[in-house]
Amino acid sequence: MANHSQLGFQDASSPIMEELVEFHDHALIVALTICSLVLYLLAHMLVEKLSSSAVDAQEVELIWTILPAIVLVLLALPSLQILYMMDEIDEPDLTLKAIGHQWYWSYEYTDFKDLSFDSYMIPTTDLPNGHFRLLEVDHRVVVPMESPIRVIITAGDVLHSWAVPTLGVKTDAIPGRLNQTSFIATRPGIFYGQCSEICGANHSYMPIVVESTPLPHFEAWSSLLSAS
């Protein structure tokens, strides 16, 4: 959960998010190196007197052609690796279908016979003490930790987006189309997200709450919900 004075990302709770944070730091170091080099060259030109004994033009052209190519390779290789990892869905233990509506989410656990529910934001007037305003819902998405989860995402009316930053998940919900993503929650906890596509007047009132629990707790929860 982010706080008011936080400058960086939220703590990663999935392998994909860990890779995204590492790539961000890597790209930041590359950008910092480029800015430092350019700043040094500008300062050197301002301080030193210009001389006619400059480096041969061919050598300069070779340098400013090769260096950008090297920088692009340093950025492209880890970026492509993460893109392939995000698209890879290999034998999920659980499949969850998320359907966006104006302005709430519906969830279906397709591996169970009859396990589905609607998830609405809890109004501020009904919010228990200690819960987060505009982020808490009446029915959380409960998933087993350390298990591959596939999420099939669509919408029933307009464009929505199912996004949980700490899990590294953000996928558009499009009417008439099924998109899919996956994640593995590496630790137990409660992870908050929101619809990240402007979908109408109450766009900011359809939060997402994912609760990661050990497998025995998830089995007990699913049995209790199915029985009711």
Side-chain angles (χ1 to χ4, degrees), residues 47-131:
V47 173
E48 298 293 332
K49 293 182 179 180
L50 296 179
S51 174
S52 60
S53 60
V55 184
D56 189 7
Q58 292 183 351
E59 295 181 5
V60 175
E61 290 178 359
L62 185 65
I63 291 173
W64 74 39
T65 302
I66 293 179
L67 280 183
I70 294 175
V71 171
L72 290 177
V73 170
L74 290 176
L75 292 176
L77 290 181
S79 175
L80 290 174
Q81 180 185 10
I82 295 175
L83 284 175
Y84 278 109
M85 290 174 60
M86 294 176 71
D87 286 339
E88 185 70 22
I89 300 177
D90 186 21
E91 297 183 359
D93 292 342
L94 179 69
T95 298
L96 172 70
K97 185 176 182 181
I99 307 171
H101 303 278
Q102 289 181 312
W103 288 272
Y104 65 95
W105 293 96
S106 297
Y107 297 100
E108 300 174 3
Y109 288 76
T110 59
D111 298 297
F112 295 83
K113 184 177 180 181
D114 186 18
L115 183 54
S116 61
F117 54 85
D118 296 331
S119 180
Y120 290 86
M121 185 195 75
I122 299 178
T124 304
T125 54
D126 302 332
L127 195 66
N129 292 331
H131 289 244

Coordinates of all heavy atoms in Angstrom, one line a residue, residues 47-131:
V47 N 34.2 25.9 -20.1 CA 35.4 26.2 -19.4 C 36.6 26.3 -20.3 O 37.4 27.2 -20.2 CB 35.6 25.2 -18.2 CG1 36.9 25.5 -17.5 CG2 34.5 25.3 -17.2
E48 N 36.8 25.3 -21.1 CA 38.0 25.2 -21.9 C 37.9 26.0 -23.2 O 36.8 26.2 -23.7 CB 38.3 23.7 -22.3 CG 38.5 22.8 -21.1 CD 39.8 23.1 -20.4 OE1 40.7 23.6 -21.1 OE2 39.9 22.8 -19.2
K49 N 39.0 26.5 -23.6 CA 39.1 27.2 -24.9 C 39.0 26.3 -26.1 O 39.5 25.2 -26.0 CB 40.4 28.0 -25.0 CG 40.5 29.2 -24.0 CD 41.8 29.9 -24.2 CE 41.9 31.1 -23.2 NZ 43.1 31.9 -23.3
L50 N 38.2 26.7 -27.1 CA 38.1 25.9 -28.3 C 39.4 25.8 -29.0 O 40.1 26.8 -29.2 CB 37.0 26.4 -29.2 CG 35.6 26.4 -28.6 CD1 34.6 27.0 -29.6 CD2 35.2 24.9 -28.2
S51 N 39.8 24.6 -29.5 CA 41.0 24.4 -30.2 C 40.7 23.8 -31.6 O 39.8 23.1 -31.8 CB 41.9 23.5 -29.4 OG 43.1 23.2 -30.1
S52 N 41.6 24.1 -32.5 CA 41.4 23.6 -33.9 C 41.9 22.1 -33.9 O 41.6 21.4 -34.9 CB 42.2 24.4 -34.9 OG 43.5 24.4 -34.6
S53 N 42.6 21.7 -32.9 CA 43.2 20.3 -32.9 C 42.1 19.4 -32.4 O 42.3 18.7 -31.4 CB 44.4 20.2 -32.1 OG 44.1 20.6 -30.7
A54 N 41.0 19.3 -33.0 CA 39.9 18.4 -32.6 C 40.1 17.0 -33.1 O 41.0 16.8 -34.0 CB 38.6 19.0 -33.1
V55 N 39.4 16.1 -32.6 CA 39.5 14.7 -33.0 C 39.0 14.6 -34.4 O 38.1 15.4 -34.9 CB 38.6 13.8 -32.0 CG1 38.8 12.3 -32.4 CG2 39.1 14.1 -30.6
D56 N 39.5 13.7 -35.2 CA 39.1 13.5 -36.5 C 37.6 13.3 -36.6 O 37.0 12.6 -35.8 CB 39.8 12.3 -37.1 CG 39.6 12.1 -38.6 OD1 39.0 13.0 -39.2 OD2 40.0 11.1 -39.2
A57 N 37.0 13.9 -37.6 CA 35.5 13.8 -37.8 C 35.0 12.4 -37.9 O 33.9 12.0 -37.4 CB 35.1 14.6 -39.0
Q58 N 35.7 11.5 -38.6 CA 35.3 10.2 -38.7 C 35.3 9.4 -37.4 O 34.4 8.6 -37.1 CB 36.2 9.4 -39.7 CG 36.1 9.9 -41.1 CD 37.0 9.1 -42.1 OE1 37.8 8.3 -41.6 NE2 36.8 9.3 -43.4
E59 N 36.2 9.7 -36.5 CA 36.2 9.1 -35.2 C 35.0 9.5 -34.4 O 34.4 8.7 -33.7 CB 37.5 9.4 -34.5 CG 38.8 8.8 -35.1 CD 40.0 9.1 -34.4 OE1 39.9 9.7 -33.3 OE2 41.1 8.8 -34.9
V60 N 34.7 10.8 -34.4 CA 33.6 11.4 -33.7 C 32.3 10.7 -34.2 O 31.4 10.3 -33.4 CB 33.5 12.9 -33.8 CG1 32.3 13.5 -33.2 CG2 34.8 13.5 -33.2
E61 N 32.1 10.7 -35.5 CA 30.9 10.1 -36.1 C 30.8 8.6 -35.7 O 29.7 8.1 -35.4 CB 30.9 10.2 -37.6 CG 30.8 11.6 -38.1 CD 30.8 11.7 -39.6 OE1 31.0 10.7 -40.3 OE2 30.7 12.8 -40.1
L62 N 31.9 7.9 -35.6 CA 31.9 6.5 -35.2 C 31.4 6.4 -33.8 O 30.6 5.5 -33.4 CB 33.2 5.9 -35.4 CG 33.4 4.4 -35.2 CD1 32.5 3.6 -36.2 CD2 34.8 3.9 -35.2
I63 N 31.9 7.2 -32.9 CA 31.6 7.2 -31.5 C 30.1 7.5 -31.3 O 29.4 6.8 -30.6 CB 32.4 8.1 -30.7 CG1 33.9 7.6 -30.7 CG2 31.9 8.3 -29.3 CD1 34.9 8.6 -30.1
W64 N 29.6 8.6 -31.9 CA 28.2 8.9 -31.6 C 27.2 8.1 -32.4 O 26.0 8.2 -32.3 CB 27.9 10.4 -31.9 CG 27.9 11.0 -33.3 CD1 27.3 10.4 -34.4 CD2 28.4 12.2 -33.7 NE1 27.5 11.2 -35.5 CE2 28.1 12.4 -35.1 CE3 29.0 13.3 -33.1 CZ2 28.4 13.5 -35.8 CZ3 29.4 14.4 -33.8 CH2 29.1 14.5 -35.2
T65 N 27.7 7.2 -33.2 CA 26.8 6.2 -33.9 C 26.8 4.9 -33.0 O 25.7 4.3 -32.9 CB 27.3 5.8 -35.3 OG1 27.3 7.0 -36.1 CG2 26.4 4.8 -35.9
I66 N 27.9 4.5 -32.5 CA 28.0 3.2 -31.8 C 27.4 3.4 -30.4 O 26.7 2.5 -29.9 CB 29.5 2.7 -31.7 CG1 29.9 2.3 -33.1 CG2 29.6 1.5 -30.7 CD1 31.4 1.9 -33.1
L67 N 27.7 4.5 -29.7 CA 27.2 4.6 -28.3 C 25.7 4.5 -28.2 O 25.2 3.8 -27.3 CB 27.8 5.9 -27.7 CG 29.2 5.9 -27.2 CD1 29.6 7.2 -26.6 CD2 29.4 4.8 -26.2
P68 N 24.9 5.3 -29.0 CA 23.4 5.1 -28.9 C 23.0 3.7 -29.2 O 22.0 3.3 -28.6 CB 22.9 6.1 -30.0 CG 24.0 7.1 -30.1 CD 25.3 6.4 -30.0
A69 N 23.6 3.0 -30.1 CA 23.2 1.6 -30.4 C 23.5 0.7 -29.2 O 22.6 -0.1 -28.9 CB 24.0 1.1 -31.6
I70 N 24.6 1.0 -28.5 CA 24.8 0.2 -27.3 C 23.8 0.5 -26.2 O 23.3 -0.4 -25.6 CB 26.3 0.5 -26.8 CG1 27.3 0.0 -27.8 CG2 26.5 -0.2 -25.4 CD1 28.7 0.3 -27.4
V71 N 23.4 1.7 -26.1 CA 22.4 2.1 -25.1 C 21.1 1.5 -25.4 O 20.4 0.9 -24.5 CB 22.3 3.7 -25.1 CG1 21.1 4.0 -24.2 CG2 23.5 4.3 -24.5
L72 N 20.7 1.5 -26.7 CA 19.4 0.9 -27.1 C 19.4 -0.6 -26.8 O 18.4 -1.2 -26.4 CB 19.2 1.1 -28.6 CG 18.8 2.5 -29.0 CD1 18.7 2.6 -30.5 CD2 17.6 3.0 -28.3
V73 N 20.6 -1.3 -27.0 CA 20.6 -2.7 -26.7 C 20.5 -3.0 -25.2 O 19.8 -3.9 -24.8 CB 22.0 -3.3 -27.3 CG1 22.2 -4.7 -26.8 CG2 21.9 -3.3 -28.8
L74 N 21.2 -2.2 -24.4 CA 21.1 -2.3 -23.0 C 19.7 -2.1 -22.5 O 19.3 -2.7 -21.4 CB 22.0 -1.3 -22.3 CG 23.5 -1.5 -22.5 CD1 24.3 -0.4 -21.8 CD2 23.9 -2.9 -21.9
L75 N 18.9 -1.3 -23.2 CA 17.5 -1.1 -22.7 C 16.5 -2.2 -23.4 O 15.6 -2.6 -22.7 CB 17.0 0.3 -23.1 CG 17.7 1.4 -22.4 CD1 17.2 2.8 -22.9 CD2 17.4 1.3 -20.9
A76 N 16.8 -2.5 -24.6 CA 15.9 -3.4 -25.3 C 15.9 -4.8 -24.8 O 14.8 -5.5 -24.7 CB 16.2 -3.4 -26.8
L77 N 17.1 -5.4 -24.5 CA 17.1 -6.8 -24.1 C 16.4 -7.1 -22.9 O 15.5 -8.0 -22.9 CB 18.6 -7.2 -24.0 CG 19.4 -7.3 -25.3 CD1 20.8 -7.7 -25.1 CD2 18.7 -8.2 -26.3
P78 N 16.6 -6.4 -21.8 CA 15.8 -6.7 -20.6 C 14.3 -6.4 -20.7 O 13.4 -7.0 -20.2 CB 16.4 -5.9 -19.5 CG 17.2 -4.8 -20.2 CD 17.6 -5.4 -21.4
S79 N 14.0 -5.4 -21.5 CA 12.6 -5.0 -21.8 C 11.9 -6.1 -22.5 O 10.8 -6.5 -22.1 CB 12.5 -3.7 -22.6 OG 11.2 -3.4 -22.9
L80 N 12.5 -6.7 -23.6 CA 11.9 -7.8 -24.3 C 11.7 -9.0 -23.4 O 10.7 -9.7 -23.5 CB 12.7 -8.1 -25.6 CG 12.7 -7.0 -26.7 CD1 13.7 -7.4 -27.8 CD2 11.3 -6.9 -27.2
Q81 N 12.7 -9.2 -22.6 CA 12.6 -10.4 -21.7 C 11.4 -10.3 -20.8 O 10.6 -11.3 -20.6 CB 13.9 -10.5 -20.9 CG 13.9 -11.7 -19.9 CD 15.1 -11.7 -19.0 OE1 15.9 -10.8 -19.0 NE2 15.3 -12.8 -18.3
I82 N 11.2 -9.1 -20.2 CA 10.0 -8.9 -19.3 C 8.7 -9.0 -20.1 O 7.7 -9.6 -19.6 CB 10.1 -7.5 -18.6 CG1 11.4 -7.5 -17.7 CG2 8.9 -7.3 -17.8 CD1 11.6 -6.2 -17.0
L83 N 8.7 -8.5 -21.3 CA 7.5 -8.6 -22.1 C 7.1 -10.0 -22.4 O 5.9 -10.4 -22.3 CB 7.6 -7.8 -23.4 CG 7.6 -6.3 -23.4 CD1 7.9 -5.7 -24.8 CD2 6.2 -5.9 -23.0
Y84 N 8.0 -10.9 -22.7 CA 7.8 -12.3 -22.9 C 7.3 -13.0 -21.6 O 6.4 -13.8 -21.6 CB 9.0 -13.0 -23.5 CG 9.2 -12.8 -25.0 CD1 10.2 -12.0 -25.5 CD2 8.3 -13.4 -25.9 CE1 10.3 -11.8 -26.9 CE2 8.4 -13.3 -27.3 CZ 9.4 -12.5 -27.7 OH 9.5 -12.3 -29.1
M85 N 7.9 -12.6 -20.5 CA 7.5 -13.2 -19.2 C 6.1 -12.8 -18.9 O 5.3 -13.6 -18.3 CB 8.5 -12.7 -18.1 CG 9.9 -13.3 -18.2 SD 11.0 -12.5 -17.0 CE 10.2 -13.0 -15.5
M86 N 5.7 -11.6 -19.2 CA 4.3 -11.1 -18.9 C 3.3 -11.8 -19.7 O 2.2 -12.0 -19.3 CB 4.2 -9.6 -19.0 CG 5.1 -8.8 -18.1 SD 5.0 -7.0 -18.3 CE 3.4 -6.7 -17.8
D87 N 3.7 -12.2 -20.9 CA 2.7 -12.9 -21.8 C 2.7 -14.4 -21.6 O 1.8 -15.1 -22.1 CB 3.1 -12.6 -23.3 CG 2.7 -11.2 -23.7 OD1 1.8 -10.6 -23.0 OD2 3.3 -10.7 -24.7
E88 N 3.7 -14.9 -20.9 CA 3.8 -16.4 -20.7 C 2.8 -16.8 -19.6 O 2.8 -16.4 -18.5 CB 5.2 -16.8 -20.3 CG 5.4 -18.2 -20.2 CD 5.4 -18.9 -21.6 OE1 5.6 -18.2 -22.6 OE2 5.1 -20.2 -21.6
I89 N 1.9 -17.7 -20.0 CA 0.9 -18.3 -19.0 C 1.0 -19.8 -19.1 O 0.6 -20.4 -20.1 CB -0.5 -17.8 -19.3 CG1 -0.6 -16.3 -19.2 CG2 -1.5 -18.5 -18.3 CD1 -2.0 -15.7 -19.5
D90 N 1.6 -20.4 -18.1 CA 2.0 -21.8 -18.2 C 1.2 -22.6 -17.1 O 1.6 -22.5 -15.9 CB 3.5 -22.0 -18.0 CG 3.9 -23.4 -18.2 OD1 3.1 -24.2 -18.9 OD2 5.0 -23.8 -17.7
E91 N 0.2 -23.3 -17.5 CA -0.6 -24.2 -16.6 C -0.9 -23.6 -15.3 O -0.4 -23.9 -14.2 CB 0.3 -25.5 -16.3 CG 0.5 -26.3 -17.6 CD 1.3 -27.6 -17.2 OE1 1.6 -27.8 -16.1 OE2 1.5 -28.4 -18.2
P92 N -1.9 -22.6 -15.3 CA -2.3 -21.9 -14.1 C -3.0 -22.9 -13.1 O -3.7 -23.8 -13.5 CB -3.2 -20.8 -14.6 CG -3.7 -21.4 -15.9 CD -2.6 -22.2 -16.5
D93 N -2.8 -22.7 -11.8 CA -3.5 -23.4 -10.8 C -5.0 -23.0 -10.6 O -5.8 -23.7 -10.1 CB -2.8 -23.4 -9.5 CG -1.4 -24.1 -9.5 OD1 -1.2 -24.9 -10.4 OD2 -0.6 -23.8 -8.6
L94 N -5.2 -21.7 -11.0 CA -6.6 -21.2 -10.8 C -6.8 -20.2 -11.9 O -6.0 -19.4 -12.3 CB -6.6 -20.5 -9.4 CG -8.0 -19.8 -9.0 CD1 -9.0 -20.9 -8.8 CD2 -7.8 -18.9 -7.8
T95 N -8.1 -20.2 -12.4 CA -8.5 -19.2 -13.4 C -9.6 -18.3 -12.8 O -10.6 -18.9 -12.3 CB -9.0 -19.9 -14.7 OG1 -7.9 -20.7 -15.2 CG2 -9.4 -18.9 -15.7
L96 N -9.4 -17.0 -12.9 CA -10.4 -16.1 -12.4 C -10.8 -15.2 -13.6 O -10.0 -14.7 -14.4 CB -9.7 -15.2 -11.3 CG -10.5 -14.0 -10.8 CD1 -11.6 -14.5 -10.0 CD2 -9.6 -13.1 -10.0
K97 N -12.1 -15.0 -13.7 CA -12.7 -14.1 -14.7 C -13.2 -12.8 -14.0 O -14.0 -12.9 -13.1 CB -13.8 -14.8 -15.4 CG -14.4 -14.0 -16.6 CD -15.5 -14.7 -17.4 CE -16.0 -13.9 -18.6 NZ -17.0 -14.6 -19.3
A98 N -12.7 -11.7 -14.5 CA -13.1 -10.4 -14.0 C -13.8 -9.6 -15.0 O -13.3 -9.5 -16.2 CB -11.8 -9.6 -13.6
I99 N -15.0 -9.2 -14.7 CA -15.9 -8.5 -15.6 C -16.1 -7.1 -15.1 O -16.7 -6.9 -14.0 CB -17.2 -9.2 -15.8 CG1 -17.0 -10.7 -16.2 CG2 -18.1 -8.5 -16.9 CD1 -18.2 -11.5 -16.2
G100 N -15.8 -6.1 -15.9 CA -16.0 -4.7 -15.4 C -17.3 -4.2 -15.8 O -17.8 -4.4 -16.9
H101 N -18.0 -3.5 -14.9 CA -19.3 -2.8 -15.1 C -19.2 -1.4 -14.6 O -18.3 -1.0 -13.9 CB -20.4 -3.6 -14.3 CG -20.5 -5.0 -14.6 ND1 -21.2 -5.5 -15.7 CD2 -20.0 -6.1 -14.0 CE1 -21.1 -6.8 -15.8 NE2 -20.4 -7.2 -14.7
Q102 N -20.2 -0.6 -15.0 CA -20.3 0.8 -14.4 C -21.1 0.7 -13.1 O -22.3 0.6 -13.2 CB -20.9 1.7 -15.4 CG -20.0 2.1 -16.6 CD -20.7 3.0 -17.5 OE1 -21.8 2.8 -17.9 NE2 -20.0 4.1 -17.9
W103 N -20.5 0.8 -11.9 CA -19.1 0.9 -11.6 C -18.8 -0.1 -10.5 O -18.7 0.3 -9.4 CB -18.9 2.4 -11.2 CG -18.9 3.3 -12.4 CD1 -17.9 3.6 -13.2 CD2 -20.0 4.0 -12.9 NE1 -18.3 4.5 -14.2 CE2 -19.6 4.8 -14.0 CE3 -21.4 4.2 -12.4 CZ2 -20.5 5.6 -14.7 CZ3 -22.2 5.0 -13.1 CH2 -21.8 5.7 -14.3
Y104 N -18.6 -1.3 -10.9 CA -18.2 -2.4 -10.0 C -17.6 -3.5 -10.8 O -17.7 -3.5 -12.0 CB -19.5 -2.9 -9.2 CG -20.5 -3.5 -10.0 CD1 -20.6 -4.9 -10.2 CD2 -21.5 -2.8 -10.7 CE1 -21.5 -5.5 -10.9 CE2 -22.5 -3.4 -11.5 CZ -22.5 -4.7 -11.6 OH -23.5 -5.3 -12.4
W105 N -17.1 -4.5 -10.1 CA -16.5 -5.6 -10.7 C -17.2 -6.9 -10.4 O -17.7 -7.0 -9.3 CB -15.0 -5.8 -10.3 CG -14.1 -4.7 -10.8 CD1 -13.7 -3.6 -10.1 CD2 -13.4 -4.6 -12.1 NE1 -12.9 -2.8 -10.8 CE2 -12.7 -3.5 -12.1 CE3 -13.4 -5.4 -13.2 CZ2 -11.9 -3.1 -13.1 CZ3 -12.7 -5.1 -14.3 CH2 -11.9 -3.9 -14.3
S106 N -17.3 -7.8 -11.3 CA -17.9 -9.1 -11.1 C -16.8 -10.2 -11.3 O -16.0 -10.0 -12.2 CB -19.1 -9.4 -12.1 OG -20.1 -8.5 -11.9
Y107 N -16.8 -11.2 -10.4 CA -15.7 -12.2 -10.5 C -16.3 -13.6 -10.6 O -17.3 -13.9 -9.9 CB -14.8 -12.1 -9.3 CG -14.1 -10.8 -9.2 CD1 -14.5 -9.7 -8.3 CD2 -12.9 -10.5 -9.9 CE1 -13.8 -8.5 -8.3 CE2 -12.2 -9.3 -9.9 CZ -12.7 -8.3 -9.0 OH -12.0 -7.2 -9.0
E108 N -15.7 -14.4 -11.4 CA -16.2 -15.8 -11.5 C -14.9 -16.7 -11.4 O -13.9 -16.5 -12.1 CB -16.8 -16.0 -12.9 CG -18.1 -15.2 -13.1 CD -18.7 -15.4 -14.5 OE1 -18.1 -16.2 -15.3 OE2 -19.6 -14.7 -14.8
Y109 N -15.0 -17.7 -10.5 CA -13.9 -18.7 -10.3 C -14.3 -19.8 -11.2 O -15.2 -20.7 -10.9 CB -13.8 -19.1 -8.9 CG -13.1 -18.0 -8.0 CD1 -13.9 -16.9 -7.6 CD2 -11.8 -18.1 -7.6 CE1 -13.3 -15.9 -6.8 CE2 -11.2 -17.2 -6.8 CZ -12.0 -16.1 -6.4 OH -11.4 -15.1 -5.6
T110 N -13.8 -19.9 -12.4 CA -14.2 -20.8 -13.4 C -13.9 -22.3 -13.1 O -14.4 -23.2 -13.7 CB -13.6 -20.5 -14.8 OG1 -12.2 -20.5 -14.7 CG2 -14.1 -19.1 -15.2
D111 N -12.9 -22.5 -12.2 CA -12.6 -23.9 -11.8 C -13.6 -24.5 -10.8 O -13.5 -25.7 -10.5 CB -11.2 -23.9 -11.2 CG -10.1 -23.4 -12.2 OD1 -10.0 -24.1 -13.2 OD2 -9.5 -22.4 -12.0
F112 N -14.5 -23.6 -10.3 CA -15.5 -24.1 -9.3 C -16.8 -24.1 -10.0 O -17.1 -23.4 -10.9 CB -15.5 -23.2 -8.1 CG -14.2 -23.3 -7.3 CD1 -13.1 -22.5 -7.7 CD2 -14.1 -24.1 -6.2 CE1 -11.9 -22.5 -6.9 CE2 -12.9 -24.1 -5.4 CZ -11.8 -23.4 -5.8
K113 N -17.7 -24.9 -9.5 CA -19.0 -25.1 -10.1 C -19.9 -23.9 -10.0 O -20.5 -23.4 -11.0 CB -19.7 -26.3 -9.5 CG -21.1 -26.6 -10.1 CD -21.7 -27.8 -9.5 CE -23.0 -28.2 -10.2 NZ -23.7 -29.4 -9.6
D114 N -19.9 -23.3 -8.8 CA -20.8 -22.1 -8.6 C -20.1 -21.2 -7.6 O -20.5 -21.2 -6.4 CB -22.2 -22.5 -8.1 CG -23.1 -21.4 -8.1 OD1 -22.8 -20.3 -8.7 OD2 -24.2 -21.5 -7.4
L115 N -19.2 -20.4 -8.1 CA -18.4 -19.5 -7.2 C -18.2 -18.2 -8.0 O -17.3 -18.0 -8.8 CB -17.1 -20.1 -6.8 CG -16.2 -19.2 -5.8 CD1 -17.0 -18.9 -4.6 CD2 -15.0 -20.0 -5.4
S116 N -19.1 -17.2 -7.7 CA -19.0 -15.9 -8.4 C -19.7 -14.9 -7.4 O -20.5 -15.2 -6.6 CB -19.8 -15.9 -9.7 OG -21.1 -16.3 -9.6
F117 N -19.3 -13.6 -7.6 CA -19.8 -12.6 -6.8 C -19.5 -11.2 -7.4 O -18.7 -11.1 -8.3 CB -19.3 -12.6 -5.4 CG -17.8 -12.6 -5.3 CD1 -17.0 -11.4 -5.3 CD2 -17.1 -13.8 -5.2 CE1 -15.7 -11.4 -5.3 CE2 -15.7 -13.8 -5.2 CZ -15.0 -12.7 -5.2
D118 N -20.3 -10.2 -7.0 CA -20.0 -8.8 -7.4 C -19.2 -8.1 -6.3 O -19.4 -8.4 -5.1 CB -21.3 -8.1 -7.6 CG -22.1 -8.7 -8.8 OD1 -21.4 -9.2 -9.7 OD2 -23.3 -8.6 -8.8
S119 N -18.4 -7.2 -6.7 CA -17.5 -6.5 -5.7 C -17.8 -5.0 -5.9 O -17.4 -4.4 -6.9 CB -16.0 -6.9 -6.0 OG -15.2 -6.2 -5.1
Y120 N -18.4 -4.4 -4.8 CA -18.7 -3.0 -4.8 C -17.8 -2.3 -3.8 O -17.4 -2.9 -2.8 CB -20.1 -2.8 -4.4 CG -21.1 -3.2 -5.5 CD1 -21.6 -4.5 -5.5 CD2 -21.7 -2.3 -6.4 CE1 -22.6 -4.9 -6.4 CE2 -22.6 -2.6 -7.3 CZ -23.1 -4.0 -7.4 OH -24.0 -4.3 -8.3
M121 N -17.5 -1.0 -4.1 CA -16.8 -0.2 -3.1 C -17.7 0.0 -1.9 O -18.9 0.3 -2.0 CB -16.4 1.1 -3.7 CG -15.5 2.0 -2.8 SD -15.4 3.7 -3.4 CE -17.0 4.3 -2.9
I122 N -17.1 0.0 -0.7 CA -17.8 0.3 0.5 C -17.9 1.8 0.7 O -16.9 2.5 0.7 CB -17.1 -0.3 1.8 CG1 -17.1 -1.9 1.6 CG2 -17.8 0.1 3.1 CD1 -16.3 -2.5 2.8
P123 N -19.1 2.4 0.8 CA -19.2 3.8 0.9 C -18.5 4.3 2.2 O -18.3 3.6 3.2 CB -20.7 4.0 1.0 CG -21.3 2.8 0.4 CD -20.4 1.7 0.7
T124 N -18.1 5.6 2.2 CA -17.3 6.1 3.3 C -18.1 6.1 4.6 O -17.6 5.9 5.7 CB -16.9 7.6 3.0 OG1 -16.1 7.6 1.7 CG2 -16.0 8.2 4.1
T125 N -19.4 6.3 4.5 CA -20.3 6.3 5.7 C -20.4 4.9 6.3 O -20.6 4.8 7.5 CB -21.7 6.8 5.3 OG1 -22.2 5.9 4.2 CG2 -21.7 8.2 4.8
D126 N -20.1 3.8 5.6 CA -20.2 2.5 6.1 C -18.8 1.9 6.3 O -18.8 0.7 6.7 CB -21.0 1.6 5.2 CG -22.4 2.1 4.9 OD1 -23.0 2.8 5.8 OD2 -22.9 1.8 3.8
L127 N -17.8 2.6 6.1 CA -16.4 2.1 6.2 C -16.0 1.8 7.7 O -16.1 2.7 8.5 CB -15.5 3.0 5.6 CG -14.1 2.5 5.2 CD1 -14.2 1.4 4.1 CD2 -13.2 3.7 4.7
P128 N -15.6 0.6 8.0 CA -15.1 0.3 9.4 C -13.8 1.1 9.7 O -13.1 1.5 8.7 CB -14.9 -1.2 9.4 CG -15.6 -1.7 8.2 CD -15.6 -0.6 7.2
N129 N -13.5 1.3 10.9 CA -12.3 2.0 11.3 C -11.1 1.2 10.9 O -11.0 0.0 11.0 CB -12.3 2.2 12.9 CG -13.4 3.2 13.3 OD1 -13.8 4.1 12.6 ND2 -13.8 3.0 14.5
G130 N -10.1 2.0 10.4 CA -8.9 1.3 10.0 C -8.8 0.9 8.6 O -7.8 0.4 8.1
H131 N -9.9 1.0 7.8 CA -10.0 0.6 6.4 C -9.7 1.8 5.5 O -9.9 3.0 6.0 CB -11.3 -0.1 6.1 CG -11.5 -1.4 6.7 ND1 -11.6 -2.6 5.9 CD2 -11.5 -1.8 8.0 CE1 -11.7 -3.6 6.7 NE2 -11.7 -3.2 8.0

